[in-house]
Amino acid sequence: MNAFQPSTPPLQPVKQRRSVPRPKKHLRQRSYQIMALETSAKITANLVIMTAAISALTQLLPYHWLQQDKLREIRTEVKLMEGRVNTLKVEFSRNFDPSQSNSIRQEQSYRFAPNQRQVVLTNPDSKNAEQSDSTP
């Protein structure tokens, strides 16, 4: 117990730095101004983009409508041509059918077989009308 005890250096008070009080109100006001500036820049950029999009749509819509009209026209023409192609296919297959050759020959040459008679249909009303017109 009689041992030497290390002497403790005398404690010096820790120097406290004086903190300079910041003007907090000024910083908050400045950050609000920066946020307002940033927000207004974003709104302006969005308005410019929106204006460009609207002008592009106003130019593209008439062209789109014109193309739709042309497409409708082409579709109707295709339907008409499909009908014509189908009739031509039927006629083509009929022309090359050997069993139809006699009837086709008669249609194209207006000749008939000797055992057939040609029948001509006339309207009796038109005969009476022609006779009444010719007589004064």
Side-chain angles (χ1 to χ4, degrees), residues 35-51:
M35 284 179 17
L37 182 65
E38 183 180 330
T39 305
S40 63
K42 286 180 182 179
I43 290 173
T44 305
N46 285 333
L47 286 175
V48 168
I49 292 171
M50 186 174 67
T51 306

Side-chain angles (χ1 to χ4, degrees), residues 17-78:
R17 294 185 184 176
R18 283 181 69 186
S19 61
V20 177
R22 293 184 184 175
K24 293 181 180 179
K25 190 175 185 182
H26 180 67
L27 285 177
R28 284 184 190 156
Q29 187 178 10
R30 193 169 192 193
S31 67
Y32 290 148
Q33 287 175 348
I34 291 173
M35 284 179 17
L37 182 65
E38 183 180 330
T39 305
S40 63
K42 286 180 182 179
I43 290 173
T44 305
N46 285 333
L47 286 175
V48 168
I49 292 171
M50 186 174 67
T51 306
I54 289 173
S55 68
L57 280 177
T58 57
Q59 291 176 1
L60 286 176
L61 280 177
Y63 178 74
H64 173 71
W65 292 330
L66 181 67
Q67 294 301 317
Q68 291 296 321
D69 289 340
K70 286 181 181 179
L71 184 62
R72 241 181 264 117
E73 261 183 51
I74 290 172
R75 284 182 179 159
T76 55
E77 287 181 16
V78 165

Side-chain angles (χ1 to χ4, degrees), residues 76-134:
T76 55
E77 287 181 16
V78 165
K79 285 181 184 177
L80 291 172
M81 288 300 126
E82 282 178 350
R84 186 173 176 202
V85 165
N86 288 336
T87 56
L88 288 174
K89 279 182 182 178
V90 168
E91 186 179 328
F92 181 78
S93 63
R94 182 176 173 260
N95 285 340
F96 285 96
D97 186 10
S99 62
Q100 298 283 331
S101 62
N102 284 335
S103 62
I104 293 171
R105 192 176 324 119
Q106 287 178 358
E107 287 174 8
Q108 291 178 355
S109 66
Y110 300 106
R111 290 188 175 175
F112 296 97
N115 58 356
Q116 288 182 340
R117 290 193 178 190
Q118 186 175 4
V119 177
V120 178
L121 299 176
T122 58
N123 192 352
D125 294 336
S126 65
K127 275 188 177 180
N128 293 338
E130 286 176 10
Q131 288 176 358
S132 65
D133 289 341
S134 63

